[in-house]
Structure formats: structure tokens, C-alpha cells
Amino acid sequence: MEIIISNASSKPIYEQICDQIKAAILAGELAEGEQLPSIRALANSLRVSAITTKRAYADLESEGFIETVQGKGSFVAGGNAELIREEQLRQVEAHMMRAIDAGRAMGITDDELAEMFALELE
């Protein structure tokens, strides 16, 4: 698993870590049950604070993407096919909203946008 931190990004580092691990899970690069690096090991490899990686892991756990077993580490959560599907749907919806916002900003009507979507679906 490769995580790239961008200092130029407006996103906090813990969010960048969280987003990239989530993307790897959604893409199937991290399999169910696969162990993630320890908080300290990931912090060292990224040259960030352990508190930052702990926050990312806590967020991922609260969203159901990973599970932490005391004394053993953090693992990709099992049985999260429905969770993955929901996350993918949210991403598609976000892309669609950006397209709608861009169209409306250019003065395209909702009917014209709907027609454009329908044509693209064919």
C-alpha cells in the first residue's frame, strides 16, 4: 500500500491518509481481512505524527472500513460489500452533482441536462 501525502493539498493529512486507504479498499487493492501497517509504522513511513495516523484509522473504523483488534492491529473490515457499494454510489452522485452545477453555471436548463445524461447512458 502506497500513500502519498501532499503538502500543497487543502485537505488535512489525516484525511489524505483516510481517503487513500478507503480508495485502496474500494478498488480491491486491500482485501478483506488484510492487515494494515501499525499506527506507528505508518506514521514513521509517512514522516507524520502517530496522532495523525491514529485519527485516520479512527475515522476509517467509525465508517466501517477497518476493524482494530486490541494487541493485534488494524484489518480491512469483513463483509463490507454493501458499505463499498454505498461509498461508490456516493462518489458517482458527487460526480453527477459537479456536472449539474457546471451545467447550471453555464445556463443549461435542467431539461437539457437530463437529456444530456440520457444520451450519455445510451
Side-chain angles (χ1 to χ4, degrees):
M1 173 178 70
E2 184 180 352
I3 295 176
I4 299 167
I5 301 300
S6 170
N7 292 326
S9 175
S10 62
K11 281 188 176 182
I13 293 172
Y14 78 90
E15 266 187 49
Q16 292 180 51
I17 295 168
C18 195
D19 289 349
Q20 289 179 53
I21 291 174
K22 199 184 301 184
I25 293 169
L26 293 172
E29 295 168 17
L30 291 173
E32 178 181 317
E34 189 170 338
Q35 186 169 12
L36 299 174
S38 71
I39 289 171
R40 190 166 277 122
L42 183 59
N44 287 338
S45 71
L46 296 176
R47 292 188 163 94
V48 298
S49 165
I51 294 169
T52 300
T53 55
K54 183 177 182 179
R55 169 84 187 266
Y57 277 23
D59 286 1
L60 287 165
E61 188 164 17
S62 72
E63 293 177 30
F65 282 93
I66 68 171
E67 298 171 336
T68 300
V69 179
Q70 195 69 16
K72 293 190 177 183
S74 298
F75 302 84
V76 175
N80 60 0
E82 185 66 29
L83 177 68
I84 289 172
R85 173 99 172 119
E86 274 302 310
E87 183 64 25
Q88 289 170 329
L89 288 173
R90 270 185 272 170
Q91 289 177 2
V92 170
E93 288 169 354
H95 289 302
M96 291 175 73
M97 282 309 302
R98 282 194 293 277
I100 290 167
D101 291 343
R104 286 179 176 161
M106 294 187 304
I108 299 173
T109 67
D110 287 355
D111 288 340
E112 290 171 319
L113 285 169
E115 186 178 336
M116 291 171 74
F117 275 115
L119 286 171
E120 290 300 322
L121 287 170
E122 290 177 0

